Amino acid sequence: MITLAVDCMGGDHGPSVTFPACRQFLTTHPDVRLLLVGLPQAFAGWQSHERAEIVHASEVVTMDDAVEVALRRKKDSSMRVAIQQVKDGKAQAAVSAGNTGALMAVSRYLLKTMDGIDRPAIATQLPNDQGGATTVLDLGANVDCQPEHLLQFAVMGSALVTALDAGHAEPSVGLLNIGEEAIKGNEVIKRTGELLRAAGDAKAIQFIGNVEGNDIFKGNVDIVVCDGFVGNVALKASEGVAAMIVGGLKTEFKRNILTKLAAIVAYPVLKALMKRMDHRRYNGAALLGLRGLVFKSHGSADKSAYEHALNRAYDAARNNLLDRVQGRIAQAATLLAASGTPSAPAAAAD
């Protein structure tokens, strides 16, 4: 039985999304038990379920709360209590749609980082042209990174893809850059390239070299490594482009009677395309590098998207992601130790 702790109060919609998503998830996953964490009054309309246990919290971390508020003032928040369930061994993973910076800070404070890892990273999937998905990290946990941090991200990302994506025993890793040539990029990127090539030579990862932004969506690389500033910009830009395309198609097909008829004819193709581009299918970002599993749902997630986040956490727990990450780190321990010295933590992006 897999047990997940759910921060039911987090995100833009709170229980109006998390409750129905959790109930549906319990229906489709008979081997799952949920610890539902939230304010007592929020459960007034919840119908009990034999595999769902209510855990009360007295506070909620809002989307606007500063990290200091989440850490020092709201010590009984639903977010913190959910993560505490993982620390105490009562749950294998926690899921929250709450404030990203607060979630990372609280998770790091309670669970601590793994040996050999200086900074946790946020990793998620983006759809690609091959009908699959490309894993990208970091997506905002660390806006300034040193080469050794990016090496750590590559090692952890390899473990994530190996655990959750069937058929990727040795996933390929690319370093996001302004060109494929090794001479391009700033000094941090050039030094990172050297470290990743050394890791590839040592068989710690399968490094294929520099990649550009469009390679994320071509599907010719499994994992793309970058710092959190670049990753977050790439993520938000891709979401914006997808929304623009969908909105543009709707506008044009509604323009007149002929375009409406064309929409009817094209509907099967458009439906298939929209399904491939649907960001809800890729919801659920992993906070890698912690001594416990935590997954971040998009704050604006609807029921379907939140179910996908729950499923990512479930798959991670079922496939022993934590052990796989630790195994990869141990395998690359010599490289990680020789790569450089850690620097002070950087703030997470929202």
Side-chain angles (χ1 to χ4, degrees), residues 7-171:
D7 170 16
C8 294
M9 310 305 298
D12 297 338
H13 308 296
S16 65
V17 162
T18 56
F19 282 0
C22 286
R23 186 167 294 280
Q24 179 62 31
F25 192 74
L26 287 167
T27 300
T28 56
H29 293 75
D31 60 337
V32 165
R33 178 172 168 267
L34 297 182
L35 302 179
L36 306 179
V37 185
L39 303 179
Q41 59 268 32
F43 293 97
W46 170 262
Q47 295 182 351
S48 62
H49 191 287
E50 61 182 0
R51 286 184 285 112
E53 177 184 341
I54 294 174
V55 180
H56 288 154
S58 61
E59 298 169 306
V60 175
V61 174
T62 70
M63 300 302 279
D64 297 324
D65 278 342
V67 170
E68 293 77 11
V69 173
L71 273 176
R72 299 175 184 175
R73 299 182 191 174
K74 296 186 175 181
K75 296 184 178 181
D76 193 45
S77 68
S78 57
M79 176 188 290
R80 184 163 180 158
V81 173
I83 298 168
Q84 186 70 43
Q85 306 306 303
V86 177
K87 180 181 179 180
D88 293 343
K90 297 178 181 178
Q92 283 105 315
V95 180
S96 175
N99 180 320
T100 303
L103 182 64
M104 176 59 80
V106 173
S107 298
R108 186 171 183 177
Y109 177 77
L110 291 178
L111 301 176
K112 312 304 180 187
T113 55
M114 293 178 175
D115 292 338
I117 298 299
D118 300 326
R119 301 182 185 179
I122 300 175
T124 196
Q125 293 182 316
L126 294 176
N128 62 44
D129 198 39
Q130 303 300 316
T134 303
T135 297
V136 183
L137 73 164
D138 179 31
L139 290 175
N142 308 279
V143 295
D144 290 305
C145 292
Q146 295 302 312
E148 62 268 18
H149 302 137
L150 296 173
L151 171 60
Q152 293 167 15
F153 298 167
V155 172
M156 294 190 295
S158 296
L160 175 68
V161 173
T162 301
L164 300 188
D165 296 338
H168 289 81
E170 291 297 331

